Amino acid sequence: MPKKDVYFARMPNSKKNKLAILGCGWLGLPLAQSFVNAGWLVNGSTTRHEKLSHLGENGIQPFLINLGAMDAPENLRSFLEADVLIVNVPPGRPESEASTYQEKMEVLATALRQSLVKKVMFISSTSVYADNCTVHTEESLAFADSNSGKRMMAAEQVFNQLPNVQCTVVRFGGLINVQRHPGRFFNGKTAVANGLAPVNLIHLDDCIGIIDKIINNNLWGQTFNAVAPSHPDKETFYTLATQKYGGISPSFIREKLEFKIISSDKILKTGYRFKHPDLLNWLKETDK
């Protein structure tokens, strides 16, 4: 039988705190469920009408919010009746969608200025860092020239500059778990470049664990990298991942070109302990 990812349990809060999660997808939905189980009241948003009932069935107050729609501000007012907001909305892959990302974040920022929310967590990405063959801490000033990296950095600034709001930015690496199995990424591909470059990935369990750590320990007004401490090379990791997935083993060019290593030392110093620190061990213990 395949092993299922198991999320941690936490003691309920002494009072009913309220959390709003913008974007209840692969990360946002289990995150919302985690906080519901811990005794929080949770507002959750989706852009798809058919998902509203699913959110409600999981104890989440559902909201249909599309930041590009004309009625977004009206929906946002009720959605933002919360103590904490988590912004978990990536730019999206189509350029037509990604190009409007900044505008959508500004719509949200305007609504936040008129709300009672005082604590915001923005889910960002390690794509903000340049592939300059070095280790990046949160103090790094070597930022990417890519459109994706520039968009995320600009969005971070939108929320960091909000008056009277404490914003914490979490820069996640590549997101994985059994459902988003890394064995799919290079299945059957040949001559994959940069095979000796290190990977910067994080398991869903640790995404939720780190968010929980930040909120329940009031680690506001900061930036955190969030990547597993282990960084196996692409060839080693994805060859094993593909085998565990039951796919066709890829072939890699054994070269180490442009790369980066993301340090998670700062979150470790808060006392957080990764549930899956060794990505190769996680793969070895995981069935498809």
Side-chain angles (χ1 to χ4, degrees), residues 22 54 161 184 195 232 241:
L22 187 72
H54 184 58
Q161 293 172 0
R184 297 185 292 115

Side-chain angles (χ1 to χ4, degrees), residues 186 192-199 232-243 250-255 280:
F186 295 104
V192 179
N194 217 13
L196 299 182
V199 302
D233 63 70
K234 285 170 62 176
E235 180 180 36
T236 301
F237 180 79
Y238 286 109
T239 298
L240 177 58
T242 307
Q243 292 170 353
S251 64
F252 292 83
I253 300 174
R254 295 183 58 79
E255 59 187 3
L280 289 175

Side-chain angles (χ1 to χ4, degrees), residues 4-266:
K4 295 183 178 180
D5 298 322
V6 178
Y7 302 116
F8 56 92
R10 292 171 288 124
M11 292 298 291
N13 294 288
S14 58
K15 66 175 184 176
K16 287 281 187 178
N17 293 319
K18 197 166 188 178
L19 176 71
I21 300 178
L22 187 72
C24 287
W26 178 83
L27 168 58
L29 179 58
L31 177 64
Q33 292 169 326
S34 165
F35 277 92
V36 167
N37 293 338
W40 287 65
L41 298 175
V42 179
N43 292 344
S45 83
T46 178
T47 58
R48 296 164 54 189
H49 191 275
E50 62 271 21
K51 286 188 64 176
L52 291 172
S53 59
H54 184 58
L55 294 182
E57 290 166 0
N58 283 277
I60 303 161
Q61 182 66 36
F63 287 82
L64 187 67
I65 294 178
N66 185 338
L67 293 176
M70 293 297 293
D71 62 346
E74 183 64 33
N75 293 340
L76 280 171
R77 273 191 283 272
S78 297
F79 175 73
L80 292 175
E81 293 177 358
D83 302 296
V84 179
L85 169 68
I86 298 177
V87 183
N88 177 43
V89 183
R93 292 185 181 278
E95 182 61 28
S96 59
E97 180 179 334
S99 63
T100 63
Y101 187 65
Q102 183 75 7
E103 179 183 332
K104 292 176 181 177
M105 295 301 99
E106 292 287 359
V107 168
L108 178 57
T110 298
L112 275 168
R113 291 187 186 96
Q114 301 168 359
S115 77
L116 297 177
V117 173
K118 297 302 179 187
K119 296 176 180 178
V120 173
M121 181 182 298
F122 179 70
I123 303 301
S124 186
S125 167
T126 56
S127 65
V128 301
Y129 296 117
D131 290 321
N132 60 347
C133 307
T134 191
V135 177
H136 290 283
T137 69
E138 292 82 355
E139 303 303 317
S140 174
L141 297 178
F143 297 120
D145 288 328
S146 64
N147 286 336
S148 60
K150 289 178 179 178
R151 286 190 182 109
M152 295 308 294
M153 180 57 67
E156 288 184 13
Q157 293 173 356
V158 167
F159 298 103
N160 276 327
Q161 293 172 0
L162 281 172
N164 304 315
V165 170
Q166 292 180 294
C167 177
T168 285
V169 172
V170 183
R171 294 170 176 164
F172 282 127
L175 309 177
I176 60 172
N177 74 338
V178 171
Q179 286 70 44
R180 185 176 283 185
H181 200 292
R184 297 185 292 115
F185 299 170
F186 295 104
N187 184 19
K189 294 187 177 181
T190 58
V192 179
N194 217 13
L196 299 182
V199 302
N200 296 285
L201 302 171
I202 184 169
H203 192 282
L204 177 60
D205 289 349
D206 285 307
C207 294
I208 296 174
I210 287 171
I211 292 171
D212 175 80
K213 179 72 174 181
I214 291 169
I215 291 177
N216 283 291
N217 289 271
N218 289 309
L219 302 175
W220 298 105
Q222 303 188 54
T223 296
F224 291 98
N225 293 337
V227 172
S230 60
H231 301 274
D233 63 70
K234 285 170 62 176
E235 180 180 36
T236 301
F237 180 79
Y238 286 109
T239 298
L240 177 58
T242 307
Q243 292 170 353
K244 298 293 288 187
Y245 184 70
I248 301 172
S249 292
S251 64
F252 292 83
I253 300 174
R254 295 183 58 79
E255 59 187 3
K256 193 173 184 180
L257 305 175
E258 294 181 340
F259 69 91
K260 58 192 171 193
I261 296 177
I262 308 300
S263 169
S264 288
D265 285 352
K266 184 176 177 180

